[in-house]
Amino acid sequence: MKTLYFVVNQNPFDGSAHGLYCLRNCRALALAAPEKSVRLVYPGMTAFLQQGSHHNQTVTAKLNHMGLSALPNLHLHPLPALRRAKGHRGLTVNVIYYWACLLFLRRRMQPQDILASASFAGLTRFLFRGLGQKQRTKRAYEVHQLASMESGTASRTARIEQAVFADADVLLTTTAVLRHQLQQLVPDKPVVNLGLACGFDPQSVLPPSLDAPRPFTVAYIGSLYLEQGVQWLAGIWNEILRRVQVPVRLKIAGGSLREVETLRATISDRTQNRAQMILVHGPVAPGELPGYLLDVDALIIPALNRGRMPHVAITKAYDYLGLNRPILAADLPSIAEVLRPGQEALLFAPQDVAQVADAVLRLCHDADLGRTLTTNCRKRRNDFTWENRSIAWWRAVAS
């Protein structure tokens, strides 16, 4: 196996958690196997027109902006695509990109190569079927969520997903509960649970700055879709303040520009945020995160117990381990696999205002507790390194 083609249906630089995962994953796989070539194929809009050194400089700059460095065996291939009218974010679903991928792979792939993708069932089925048996390569599919659980086993998306499972040689998951569900769906396929990895080094992230007086500050960093619970958290923040009886500020980072403006408008209409106890910052690049965190005392994951959230890997649960702050998090199975209650985080029942307020109050008044949780997070991070995960990924695909 000389070359890995990792094909995705999303621009890895769009600011989403999944896009960042695809980028980090391919870089880590390249770093773990320097004798192999790792090629990340993605929809690039007009980026595919860039050629030569200018394109390479652009790629290096983009990687640096995401807090990553370039590698000689990591190659990025933005292919022609049209995108949905959704700002600069959103998935790409179009014939142009699908055929561009298929033609690209037909020209380049050799029998000893690997074709992999992550939770893009429609594109993956198209490529698996389009390449056919003549260009039979090792085929790996990462299952980050199950369509059958979202839309039912009889749905069109679930049938497409099932076809991908049938065509894949190995299936990889990110949580133990997903692995269990997948083994029941396809008992004849090898299924390996790899979890995710922490993308931050605690040594590069300073602890909170105490130079100036300010409210105790809790931050959320990540996507803003409804199941993440950010809207719920902002809506009950005044009740949190009433219960804790001390100034506690909430900072929110992430989301698209449209989501950020919608959230700001909602907060302004519903929460009487006159004292600016809720600050909505917008997207923060990974490389800029250490500066954003200087006035942050704790991190929170307010995920709701809905839809896919209990069984899909929550990127924040891993990344927060490397950010040198104590963590508060909803007690979902996908989160508790990583953040053990009372060790790396204070867990609360999803959407339980009283438990959230109690956890915030404990951290406000118990600095030793915060330091203990932070120390445990730094130790726990060693269990979820990209290096270890990448070695396990290569081993699973090669077996």
Side-chain angles (χ1 to χ4, degrees), residues 24 29 38 46 52 88 116 150 158 162 164 178 192 196 204 263 278 308 311 327 349 359 399:
R24 283 176 171 172
L29 291 172
V38 177
T46 59
H88 292 288
E150 298 290 320
Q162 193 70 31
V164 174
L178 262 181
V192 180
L196 291 181
S204 65
L263 182 58
I278 304 178
R308 61 186 179 177
H311 60 267
I327 303 170
S399 61

Side-chain angles (χ1 to χ4, degrees), residues 216-230:
F216 186 89
T217 301
V218 178
Y220 169 87
I221 304 163
S223 302
L224 297 183
Y225 59 85
L226 186 63
E227 290 82 1
Q228 294 284 1
V230 183

Side-chain angles (χ1 to χ4, degrees), residues 150 226-227 232 303-311 332 350-351:
E150 298 290 320
L226 186 63
E227 290 82 1
W232 169 79
L304 307 184
N305 188 17
R306 295 185 188 175
R308 61 186 179 177
M309 299 307 285
H311 60 267
L332 298 179
Q351 293 184 271

Side-chain angles (χ1 to χ4, degrees), residues 161-229:
E161 185 179 68
Q162 193 70 31
V164 174
F165 296 162
D167 289 340
D169 297 304
V170 60
L171 301 172
L172 309 169
T173 63
T174 52
T175 66
V177 64
L178 262 181
R179 180 176 184 268
H180 176 71
Q181 292 159 346
L182 195 54
Q183 284 177 318
Q184 294 182 337
L185 282 174
V186 281
D188 59 326
K189 291 283 181 178
V191 182
V192 180
N193 178 36
L194 299 176
L196 291 181
C198 177
F200 296 97
D201 182 354
Q203 294 184 358
S204 65
V205 182
L206 293 174
S209 173
L210 303 177
D211 292 342
R214 57 175 174 78
F216 186 89
T217 301
V218 178
Y220 169 87
I221 304 163
S223 302
L224 297 183
Y225 59 85
L226 186 63
E227 290 82 1
Q228 294 284 1

Side-chain angles (χ1 to χ4, degrees), residues 12 45 120 145 147 157 175 207 224 243 310 331 337 384 395:
M45 300 178 67
F120 297 106
Q145 62 190 60
T157 54
T175 66
L224 297 183
R243 288 173 178 264
D331 190 4
E337 282 185 25
F384 301 107
R395 185 185 302 120

